[in-house]
Amino acid sequence: PAEVIAACDITFACLADPEIAEKVALGPDGVVAGVTAGKAFVDCSTVDEACSQKIGAAVKAAGGRFLEAPVSGSKKPAEDGQLIFLTAGDKAVFEECEAAFAAMGKKSLYLGETGAGARMKLVVNMVMGSMMNAFAEGMSLADAGGLKAEDLLDVLDAGAMSNPMFRLKGPNMAQGKYPAAFPLKHQQKDMRLAVALGDSLDVSMPVAAAANETFKRAKAAGKGDDDFSAVHAVLKK
């Protein structure tokens, strides 16, 4: 990482979890080791606020500039340039990166001080994970009740609950197929971090906490590398 930082004015990274993000940023020959005055580091990893602030502080202490920019969107939106960037930190870096964000995504938001982007991403992924659990439970209940999955999907898509996630994931889930776009192990990590954020802010989150437990069950059942919709596999009767 230090060599990349040294060669570039602005460096982007997108890593799996806080532990890896810190290792790449702060470890030997990591990002901070290569930072010199004016260099910018844009971290698109989904991490907790404390991790993002720790990395940002180290980058700035070395004379660099820092912008957190976790993304909303998985494999297909990334391939299609349809990501949503949830940024916070150095606003000048945000403005310098707007063309890059436009090339990779459909929307970029500047949310304020470092940590706000991390918090927003955890809230978004908490809602998504909770929705997927409810959807998987609904599909399982419909199946147990003798209803056809395609009929349930048709009803959901015709009403107020219509959304791209149900349309994209539902047909594969009905066939017991879970091709990975966003691995379940990463969704569970995000649920864990979101529940921890709720604890730190004294916000009751019983739905998210229950969803996290179901993702943990699925991960323990060997579904961690499958798509996060594979939570359905442990809910089927």
Side-chain angles (χ1 to χ4, degrees):
E3 293 181 5
V4 176
I5 289 285
C8 303
D9 293 328
I10 302 174
T11 301
F12 287 78
C14 189
L15 301 160
D17 58 44
E19 292 75 21
I20 295 172
E22 286 195 19
K23 182 177 181 180
V24 168
L26 308 177
D29 298 319
V31 168
V32 172
V35 167
T36 54
K39 297 283 187 179
F41 180 53
V42 181
D43 193 354
C44 301
S45 311
T46 299
V47 299
D48 58 281
E49 178 179 0
C51 174
S52 190
Q53 290 174 336
K54 181 177 181 180
I55 292 171
V59 169
K60 288 189 284 185
R65 301 177 297 153
F66 179 75
L67 185 75
E68 62 175 358
V71 296
S72 181
S74 56
K75 182 178 179 181
K76 188 66 166 62
E79 292 173 344
D80 294 343
Q82 294 293 298
L83 296 171
I84 302 169
F85 289 87
L86 309 171
T87 78
D90 191 318
K91 191 169 186 180
V93 176
F94 169 74
E95 292 169 349
E96 290 170 34
C97 291
E98 285 190 285
F101 291 147
M104 296 184 284
K106 63 181 180 180
K107 191 175 186 67
S108 58
L109 295 87
Y110 180 76
L111 301 171
E113 295 297 319
T114 300
R119 293 194 302 275
M120 181 66 81
K121 179 59 189 295
L122 293 181
V123 171
V124 169
N125 276 20
M126 179 272 292
V127 172
M128 182 174 73
S130 299
M131 283 177 61
M132 178 54 74
N133 263 264
F135 183 42
E137 287 184 6
M139 291 192 70
S140 300
L141 181 60
D143 181 59
L147 302 172
K148 294 180 180 179
E150 56 264 34
D151 289 339
L152 172 63
L153 296 176
D154 192 20
V155 171
L156 291 173
D157 199 42
M161 289 180 287
S162 175
N163 68 78
M165 185 174 77
F166 290 0
R167 287 195 295 274
L168 178 65
K169 306 293 186 182
N172 279 329
M173 291 168 66
Q175 299 178 53
K177 298 178 180 178
Y178 315 104
F182 180 44
L184 185 143
K185 62 187 177 184
H186 295 327
Q187 176 65 70
Q188 192 276 314
K189 176 262 297 182
D190 293 346
M191 296 301 289
R192 171 176 59 82
L193 294 176
V195 170
L197 177 62
D199 287 344
S200 72
L201 297 173
D202 293 325
V203 175
S204 177
M205 294 169 51
V207 173
N212 183 44
E213 292 303 316
T214 311
F215 280 118
K216 285 163 64 177
R217 276 179 56 202
K219 189 169 72 169
K223 299 297 183 181
D225 291 323
D226 290 336
D227 190 72
F228 78 113
S229 57
V231 71
H232 176 242
V234 299
L235 293 169
K236 291 191 296 184
K237 185 174 180 181

